[in-house]
């Protein structure tokens, strides 16, 4: 080889050699476009490409099990699928099971699914979402549907679909930090509008994990919660509690979205505070954690008119929105 390469170049016409040289210079300019130093080798962080088709299939697969309401066969089967898939992608997976009490004192068998990459690395980032679906379509226009469970395509499955695709990318291209992906159970069994008892009952799985972490004294540098991140044309505002407890993380993520070209999804405006799994994470583990959650000021719920209705089905899942969120989060974790 050592002999053949110079011979090959020697035998090339000057014109061809010139063209190849130009092509190589062009490539390095592109690599160093920001620093404008084409001749120097600058270490370039390679951010994997988030594949929205893959995220979509992960979402559709969860929805195809049926509503993932705790204590149902669909919930059990989907939980096993999610844990198995994360293992197949190369994560170390802990299935944390617990019996929890709902707002109306029903006992439910819940399972938090905890997937870790680079376990020995002390520098860690926590990514999370809830995987259960709500037992009540209590926001549905038709009162006959209020006691029916929802598909939770956007509210549940979509965010888990984004995290599974992120896990697939991490499994293929290891980042230089440790990552924990937690899929919380029993987020969405909060008291319905037709049965107020004064105990709200949201976020039971994350509350349990935050009080009984899978690793003694578990901590992470910061956390990112995804909730309702797949609706078409969704907009994400800077949520009030995220701004209170983790303003630097909000800044990092919104700047990443801008760099990646997704400022039309990540809006530079603040919204009200939302009770969600991230509050349990600050409260019990003191980890600064933000919530990337759809906010729609034009609807009464603030979350889109399909929210907690039978319309939260696969028609509410957009590959474009999942790409915006998934690519932004990958950019953040590969630029640590
Ligand atoms: C409340 O409605 C109090 N919090 C919203 C949490 C939630 C429900 N996220 C998805 N479903
Ligand atoms: Zn919900």
């Amino acid at each position: 080889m050592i002999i053949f390469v110079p011979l090959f170049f020697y035998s090339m016409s000057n014109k061809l050699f010139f063209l190849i040289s130009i092509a190589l210079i062009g490539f390095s300019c592109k690599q160093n476009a920001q620093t404008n130093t084409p001749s120097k080798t600058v270490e370039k962080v390679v951010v994997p490409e988030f594949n929205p088709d893959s995220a979509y299939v992960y979402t559709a697969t969860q929805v195809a099990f049926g509503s993932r309401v705790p204590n149902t066969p669909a919930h059990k089967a989907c939980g096993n699928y999610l844990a198995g898939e994360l293992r197949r992608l190369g994560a170390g997976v802990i299935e944390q099971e617990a019996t929890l009490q709902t707002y109306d004192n029903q006992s439910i068998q819940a399972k938090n699914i905890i997937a870790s990459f680079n376990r020995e690395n002390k520098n860690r980032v926590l990514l999370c979402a809830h995987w259960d679906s709500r037992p009540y379509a209590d926001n549905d226009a038709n009162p006959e549907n209020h006691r029916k469970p929802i598909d939770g395509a956007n509210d549940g499955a979509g965010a888990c679909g984004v995290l599974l695709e992120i896990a697939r990318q991490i499994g293929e291209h290891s980042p230089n930090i440790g990552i924990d992906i937690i899929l919380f159970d029993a987020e969405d069994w909060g008291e319905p509008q037709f049965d107020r008892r004064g105990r709200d009952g949201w976020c039971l799985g994350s509350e349990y994990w935050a009080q009984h972490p899978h690793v003694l004294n578990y901590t992470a540098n910061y956390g990112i919660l995804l909730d309702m991140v797949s609706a078409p044309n969704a907009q994400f505002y800077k949520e009030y509690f995220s701004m209170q407890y983790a303003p630097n993380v909000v800044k990092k993520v919104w700047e990443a979205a801008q760099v990646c070209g997704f400022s039309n999804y990540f809006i530079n405006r603040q919204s009200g505070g939302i009770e969600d799994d991230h509050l349990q994470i600050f409260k019990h583990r003191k980890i600064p954690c933000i919530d990337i959650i759809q906010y729609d000021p034009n609807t009464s719920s603030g979350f889109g008119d399909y929210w907690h209705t039978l319309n939260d089905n696969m028609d509410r899942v957009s590959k474009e929105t999942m790409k915006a969120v998934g690519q932004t989060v990958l950019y953040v974790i590969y630029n640590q």
Side-chain angles (χ1 to χ4, degrees):
M1 265 330 252
I2 299 166
I3 300 165
F4 281 114
V5 171
L7 269 182
F8 169 70
F9 274 95
Y10 183 70
S11 65
M12 276 190 315
S13 72
N14 282 349
K15 210 166 157 190
L16 184 58
F17 183 75
F18 178 70
L19 283 175
I20 291 175
S21 309
I22 290 293
L24 289 173
I25 290 166
F27 180 71
S28 63
C29 282
K30 209 169 175 191
Q31 292 284 299
N32 296 304
Q34 279 174 325
T35 49
N36 206 18
T37 51
S39 55
K40 270 196 225 149
T41 325
V42 177
E43 203 186 314
K44 174 100 177 117
V45 181
V46 178
V47 180
E49 271 287 308
F50 181 91
N51 183 334
D53 297 321
S54 165
Y56 186 91
V57 171
Y58 282 134
T59 305
T61 305
Q62 294 168 73
V63 172
F65 283 101
S67 295
R68 284 82 59 217
V69 172
N71 292 357
T72 66
H75 175 265
K76 187 147 194 79
C78 186
N80 292 339
Y81 159 72
L82 291 168
E85 189 62 20
L86 287 161
R87 257 185 213 114
R88 194 182 70 79
L89 297 173
V93 178
I94 293 174
E95 296 170 67
Q96 180 185 55
E97 299 194 23
T99 303
L100 304 174
Q101 302 299 317
T102 63
Y103 81 97
D104 56 344
N105 285 322
Q106 295 189 54
S107 288
I108 53 171
Q109 305 309 315
K111 174 160 91 176
N112 294 321
I113 301 164
I114 304 156
S116 301
F117 292 92
N118 301 340
R119 271 196 169 143
E120 63 302 331
N121 197 322
K122 291 261 168 286
N123 224 355
R124 308 198 69 74
V125 171
L126 169 61
L127 306 176
C128 46
H130 76 91
W131 72 272
D132 61 308
S133 33
R134 180 158 178 77
Y136 315 111
D138 56 332
N139 226 28
D140 203 278
N142 181 353
E144 281 175 23
N145 293 334
H146 286 181
R147 286 168 195 273
K148 294 180 186 166
I150 64 169
D151 278 359
N154 182 47
D155 187 358
C160 295
V162 169
L163 290 182
L164 284 178
E165 171 57 8
I166 288 175
R168 193 173 76 86
Q169 295 301 335
I170 293 171
E172 285 184 15
H173 318 272
S174 184
N176 50 24
I177 52 171
I179 301 283
D180 300 293
I181 294 179
I182 308 189
L183 306 182
F184 292 119
D185 202 351
E187 186 274 344
D188 228 348
W189 203 308
E191 59 173 3
Q193 294 170 42
F194 56 77
D195 187 18
R196 293 281 189 213
R197 301 187 186 206
R199 184 186 158 211
D200 73 8
W202 304 98
C203 304
L204 301 176
S206 56
E207 180 182 46
Y208 182 84
W209 172 80
Q211 292 176 333
H212 307 90
H214 62 293
V215 167
L216 188 69
N217 298 325
Y218 174 85
T219 194
N221 301 359
Y222 61 90
I224 301 175
L225 170 65
L226 305 183
D227 193 8
M228 301 188 279
V229 292
S230 54
N233 306 311
Q235 294 198 312
F236 309 109
Y237 283 46
K238 299 174 171 178
E239 183 266 338
Y240 174 81
F241 296 122
S242 308
M243 289 298 282
Q244 289 297 301
Y245 299 107
N248 299 339
V249 185
V250 173
K251 185 166 185 281
K252 198 195 293 276
V253 170
W254 260 250
E255 281 174 3
Q258 187 172 32
V259 171
C260 297
F262 299 120
S263 297
N264 47 340
Y265 291 91
F266 288 79
I267 308 302
N268 189 20
R269 246 184 260 157
Q270 192 166 310
S271 73
I274 296 161
E275 181 185 349
D276 210 344
D277 293 321
H278 64 321
L279 297 189
Q280 300 299 325
I281 297 170
F282 322 127
K283 185 173 167 193
H284 300 289
R285 303 248 52 82
K286 314 277 183 255
I287 298 170
C289 185
I290 70 163
D291 192 6
I292 302 179
I293 184 165
Q294 180 183 2
Y295 178 66
D296 183 348
N298 301 317
T299 61
S300 55
S301 67
F303 298 126
D305 53 15
Y306 60 85
W307 183 70
H308 292 179
T309 75
L310 297 189
N311 293 329
D312 182 3
N313 55 34
M314 282 307 290
D315 297 342
R316 297 295 169 294
V317 175
S318 147
K319 290 180 187 176
E320 287 75 16
T321 306
M322 287 196 286
K323 172 74 180 175
V325 174
Q327 194 64 60
T328 297
V329 174
L330 279 177
Y331 184 94
V332 169
I333 64 184
Y334 282 82
N335 280 285
Q336 272 318 108

